[in-house]
Amino acid sequence: MKLFCFFAAISAALGTVQVYGQGQSQISAVIDVGTGFSDDKSWAPSVLYYEQIGLNRVPWFRLGLGIRAWGYYANRTNLYTKTGSPQDYLEYRKVSANGLSFVVGANLRFWKIDLGVNTDLIGASFGSKRKAFYEKTTTTPGVGAPNYNQWLSTSPVIFNAAPLFLDNYNGQSEAYARIYLTRGIGLKIGYLYGHIAYHTHKADDRKVFLDNKQRRVSQNYGMPYAALSFPLQH
């Protein structure tokens, strides 16, 4: 498991503290295939490959790294700028994005149950260009005034970092319980928290700004999540 070279080195170093012998690390891997779903007909399918490592002397606590392929699809949505007084927004008939992210997480192992959390660290996303309506009327026009009450061309933000903590980036996080039903299959249930972000495109070789020279809009989403888990090493 090459993903764990770094963690294995740390574990080996920690294993020499307060012990006289070298403890072996425990490494496991699993693939989760599932989706988030919501009453408003939005959904967020994903496939996660996830490796976990822990020491024999603390087998119930494990650190994890992984790779997640994900998507998010929703109908009418408003996406908001990061700053502004008042905050600007764009109106979408539909939003959609697909991405690939590197994931970091941690979990507790009890018997045949994992209780854990994970979040996207860095990643890339793509999706169809979408027209968004910039609805605004104000007595103090800003730099975005030429684009007020017009349909603007936008698309998902491509390069993303720590979307759990930073606005204007795409990505997902999970809190979950994974139950191993047999040695070959498990059930994962949890809550999915994500972020969808778009940016405006240039028009006539000029940048298209909203007020405060902003070009990015975003919004959080949350939904229950369910998946089938396939242990590769357990």
Side-chain angles (χ1 to χ4, degrees), residues 22-176:
Q22 183 179 4
Q24 292 183 334
S25 62
Q26 296 181 341
I27 298 177
S28 61
V30 63
I31 293 177
D32 299 322
V33 181
T35 187
F37 48 90
S38 178
D39 292 339
D40 62 5
K41 296 183 180 180
S42 61
W43 60 299
S46 64
V47 177
L48 172 65
Y49 171 76
Y50 192 67
E51 296 180 4
Q52 308 164 86
I53 186 170
L55 293 177
N56 281 338
R57 59 193 181 93
V58 283
W60 46 268
F61 178 71
R62 300 188 176 198
L63 298 174
L65 290 174
I67 299 175
R68 179 179 6 246
W70 59 268
Y72 176 68
Y73 313 99
N75 293 319
R76 190 183 185 285
T77 303
N78 290 346
L79 302 185
Y80 296 84
T81 57
K82 183 177 180 180
T83 61
S85 299
Q87 200 172 33
D88 276 350
Y89 64 92
L90 295 180
E91 300 176 5
Y92 288 82
R93 293 192 179 104
K94 289 185 178 181
V95 294
S96 61
N98 302 287
L100 186 67
S101 303
F102 291 98
V103 177
V104 62
N107 67 276
L108 305 178
R109 170 71 59 85
F110 299 104
W111 188 52
K112 296 182 179 181
I113 299 175
D114 287 342
L115 300 177
V117 293
N118 64 56
T119 187
D120 290 354
L121 191 61
I122 58 172
S125 57
F126 60 93
S128 301
K129 291 183 179 180
R130 301 281 184 186
K131 290 289 187 178
F133 191 67
Y134 185 22
E135 182 178 6
K136 188 165 186 179
T137 302
T138 178
T139 57
T140 56
V143 297
N147 304 308
Y148 290 174
N149 301 310
Q150 294 189 39
W151 289 95
L152 308 180
S153 180
T154 71
S155 63
V157 173
I158 297 176
F159 299 107
N160 305 282
L164 179 62
F165 307 103
L166 302 175
D167 291 333
N168 292 335
Y169 292 107
N170 290 301
Q172 298 180 349
S173 304
E174 296 174 355
Y176 63 87

